[in-house]
């Protein structure tokens, strides 16, 4: 329990636990795996049952987060271990404590109205899955390699593959060349890019700016869908662009421009450049991804929602002048909070008079995936 008492939420728990194990060599590989799992289960409870002693709360969390026989439960709570395959609602009724499910995710009043609150909230008690996006022309090869490697998988739609999170595929698949590791909802952003391609079907080539490029996943999907693109990428961090260069090399993307940009300010030396499509996967709370970083359920400060919303409005204000007449802005977050999503879209419509083409919450919580938000807006021609 010393780890949980020591961790204060001021860095990602994955980084913290890695440093902790490096300093405490007594943990073997099995111990590290079990300890990490117990901690993550504990965080998945969010702010539910915070008045329960930590040791008991960890055991409850392990029971709720497990769906198969567990060594620790078998030893300490046999009657629970025998019922791990029950539904979450049934398991909650067995633990001997009553608590509102919404305590797991404490920001219910900030959620988008279309989200199924109970299903979304309970989804934080399970680890998200692993998803691949097969690249054009590589679909048959990827499936053949997974089958030969005896990896269980399910094809979701045309190019998306869902796999168990523990799947060892690093030596089977050439990442980025044959398939991209990309969350299911993130892949669905491609549906919006396809709309741009259909609406600009008279274009021989498309000018695209991936302005918050990060690892470049959206650029790769834009290349796969639109084909010939004049690509520009930018990010605030130089290290990100260095890593992106390596990834683009694997993905076969060679001709592109990149630069460092603080998008809270007008982009210097870029005044006259305009684009058919700006991909804006903007900084956000990440609240749609907290199944992957469940420590946020306990440590997130609600005041940050407003801070992110203001940041997002600054960024889009500096992007829109770089749209061509008839060009498109694709605004993306991995947030479930309306202030970061629908309210920012209203701001764009009112201040810049862009036309809203499509707006959607990409609900991943039924697929063991992230939940995201995407909105496609068009500059008047």
């Amino acid at each position: 329990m010393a780890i949980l008492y020591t961790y204060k939420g001021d860095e990602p728990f994955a980084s913290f636990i890695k440093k902790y194990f490096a300093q405490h060599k007594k943990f073997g590989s099995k111990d590290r795996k079990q300890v990490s799992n117990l901690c993550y289960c504990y965080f998945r409870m969010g702010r539910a049952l915070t008045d329960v002693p930590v040791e008991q709360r960890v055991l409850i969390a392990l029971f709720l987060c497990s769906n198969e026989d567990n060594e620790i439960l078998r030893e300490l709570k046999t009657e629970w271990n025998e019922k791990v395959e029950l539904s979450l609602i049934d398991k909650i009724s067995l633990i001997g404590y009553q608590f509102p499910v919404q305590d797991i995710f404490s920001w219910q009043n900030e959620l988008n109205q279309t989200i199924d609150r109970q299903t979304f909230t309970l989804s934080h008690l399970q680890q998200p899955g692993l998803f691949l996006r097969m690249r054009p022309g590589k679909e048959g090869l990827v499936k053949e390699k997974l089958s030969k490697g005896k990896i269980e998988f399910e094809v979701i739609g045309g190019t998306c593959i869902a796999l168990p999170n523990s799947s060892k595929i690093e030596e089977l698949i050439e990442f980025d060349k044959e398939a991209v590791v990309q969350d299911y909802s993130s892949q669905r952003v491609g549906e919006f890019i396809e709309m741009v391609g259909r609406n600009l079907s008279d274009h021989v080539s498309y000018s695209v700016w991936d302005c918050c490029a990060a690892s470049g996943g959206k650029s790769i999907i834009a290349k796969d869908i639109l084909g010939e693109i004049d690509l520009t990428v930018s990010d605030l961090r130089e290290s990100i662009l260095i890593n992106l260069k390596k990834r683009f090399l694997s993905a076969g993307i060679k001709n592109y421009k990149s630069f460092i940009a603080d998008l809270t300010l007008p982009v210097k030396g870029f005044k006259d450049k305009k684009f058919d499509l700006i991909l804006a996967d903007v900084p956000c709370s990440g609240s749609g991804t907290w199944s992957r970083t469940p420590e946020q359920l306990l440590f997130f400060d609600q005041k940050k929602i407003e801070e992110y919303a203001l940041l997002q409005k600054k960024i889009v204000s500096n992007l829109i002048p770089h749209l061509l007449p008839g060009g498109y802005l694709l605004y993306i977050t991995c947030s479930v909070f309306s202030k970061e999503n629908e309210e920012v879209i209203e701001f764009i419509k009112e201040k810049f008079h862009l036309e809203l083409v499509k707006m959607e919450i990409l609900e991943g919580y039924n697929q063991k995936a992230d939940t995201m938000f995407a909105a496609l807006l068009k500059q008047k021609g």
Side-chain angles (χ1 to χ4, degrees):
M1 298 303 102
I3 295 172
L4 293 175
Y5 288 126
T6 305
Y7 180 64
K8 303 300 181 185
D10 49 2
E11 65 176 310
F13 184 70
S15 301
F16 173 87
I17 194 68
K18 185 177 181 180
K19 295 175 188 174
Y20 187 91
F21 287 145
Q23 294 168 1
H24 299 80
K25 305 292 186 180
K26 64 180 181 180
F27 295 97
S29 60
K30 182 180 178 182
D31 293 332
R32 291 196 298 270
K33 186 176 181 180
Q34 284 191 333
V35 169
S36 296
N37 182 51
L38 288 172
C39 291
Y40 276 112
C41 289
Y42 175 85
F43 292 134
R44 290 186 186 285
M45 291 288 291
R47 295 179 183 173
L49 301 179
T50 52
D51 55 341
V52 173
V54 171
E55 293 81 359
Q56 179 66 8
R57 192 170 184 268
V58 168
L59 203 57
I60 292 169
L62 180 62
F63 173 53
L64 295 180
C65 295
S66 301
N67 53 22
E68 58 186 26
D69 177 75
N70 181 276
E71 181 181 347
I72 296 173
L73 287 176
R74 196 188 322 130
E75 181 71 24
L76 299 178
K77 207 74 174 173
T78 306
E79 66 274 24
W80 285 1
N81 189 55
E82 293 171 350
K83 298 179 188 273
V84 290
E85 294 182 1
L86 292 177
S87 71
L88 279 170
I89 295 298
D90 288 338
K91 287 200 281 188
I92 288 171
S93 69
L94 289 173
I95 62 177
Y97 295 92
Q98 291 187 345
F99 68 92
V101 166
Q102 59 263 33
D103 286 355
I104 295 171
F105 189 94
S106 301
W107 305 273
Q108 301 283 323
N109 61 327
E110 299 281 358
L111 282 173
N112 174 277
Q113 294 301 310
T114 65
I115 288 174
D116 182 323
R117 279 161 165 67
Q118 178 161 293
T119 305
F120 170 73
T121 301
L122 289 175
S123 72
H124 292 87
L125 293 172
Q126 59 183 353
Q127 186 179 18
L130 173 65
F131 299 89
L132 294 178
R133 182 178 64 81
M134 298 176 286
R135 299 202 63 201
K138 304 294 184 181
E139 297 88 348
L141 178 62
V142 170
K143 287 184 276 190
E144 180 184 354
K145 285 187 172 185
L146 292 174
S147 297
K148 284 185 177 179
K150 298 182 179 179
I151 302 292
E152 293 183 9
F153 67 91
E154 178 186 0
V155 178
I156 305 175
T159 60
C160 181
I161 286 181
L163 308 98
N165 206 53
S166 58
S167 300
K168 303 297 183 184
I169 58 174
E170 294 84 355
E171 296 181 2
L172 295 175
I173 305 298
E174 291 189 62
F175 291 146
D176 299 325
K177 181 179 179 180
E178 297 172 346
V180 178
V181 177
Q182 191 170 39
D183 179 78
Y184 170 68
S185 293
S186 188
Q187 293 188 41
R188 287 197 58 205
V189 169
E191 298 169 15
F192 292 77
I193 298 174
E194 286 173 352
M195 292 182 68
V196 174
R198 289 195 299 269
N199 293 339
L200 297 178
S201 58
D202 59 330
H203 283 42
V204 175
S205 178
Y206 306 85
S207 54
V208 178
W209 178 20
D210 188 353
C211 64
C212 304
S215 62
K218 302 297 188 304
S219 291
I220 298 174
I221 198 170
K223 168 67 174 174
D224 287 350
I225 290 172
L226 297 177
E228 189 65 33
I229 59 175
D230 175 11
L231 177 62
T232 299
V233 295
S234 62
D235 201 278
L236 181 61
R237 301 149 293 179
E238 183 178 11
S239 60
I240 291 291
L241 294 176
I242 292 171
N243 291 334
L244 179 146
K245 183 178 181 180
K246 297 175 183 176
R247 191 178 187 197
F248 276 8
L249 187 62
S250 298
I253 298 177
K254 299 176 182 178
N255 299 317
Y256 66 95
K257 306 173 191 70
S258 68
F259 66 99
I260 299 167
D262 178 357
L263 297 176
T264 63
L265 304 170
V267 183
K268 294 181 180 179
F270 202 52
K271 182 170 61 175
D272 298 324
K273 182 67 175 175
K274 295 183 185 291
F275 298 88
D276 294 308
L277 171 63
I278 298 177
L279 301 170
D281 191 351
V282 295
C284 69
S285 63
S287 49
T289 69
W290 287 351
S291 290
R292 301 184 189 277
T293 55
E295 64 269 21
Q296 293 287 347
L297 295 169
L298 197 57
F299 289 101
F300 182 74
D301 183 349
Q302 185 162 349
K303 290 185 294 187
K304 290 184 178 179
I305 300 174
E306 188 64 41
E307 292 174 11
Y308 277 116
L310 290 171
L311 174 64
Q312 290 149 3
K313 290 172 184 175
K314 282 184 180 179
I315 289 173
V316 296
S317 295
N318 289 318
L319 298 179
I320 291 170
H322 297 286
L323 280 176
L324 284 166
Y328 291 85
L329 171 69
L330 180 49
Y331 177 87
I332 307 160
T333 75
C334 49
S335 172
V336 291
F337 297 141
S338 292
K339 282 189 175 69
E340 298 184 85
N341 296 333
E342 292 85 356
E343 291 189 21
V344 174
I345 299 308
E346 284 305 310
F347 165 80
I348 293 171
K349 289 165 59 181
E350 290 177 11
K351 184 170 181 179
F352 297 99
H353 308 293
L354 268 64
E355 172 193 350
L356 178 62
V357 179
K358 183 181 180 182
M359 177 172 70
E360 186 176 354
I361 289 284
L362 305 174
E363 298 173 352
Y365 50 84
N366 288 314
Q367 297 280 355
K368 296 182 70 175
D370 298 338
T371 293
M372 299 179 62
F373 174 84
L376 185 64
L377 301 107
K378 183 179 180 181
Q379 178 76 279
K380 292 181 179 179

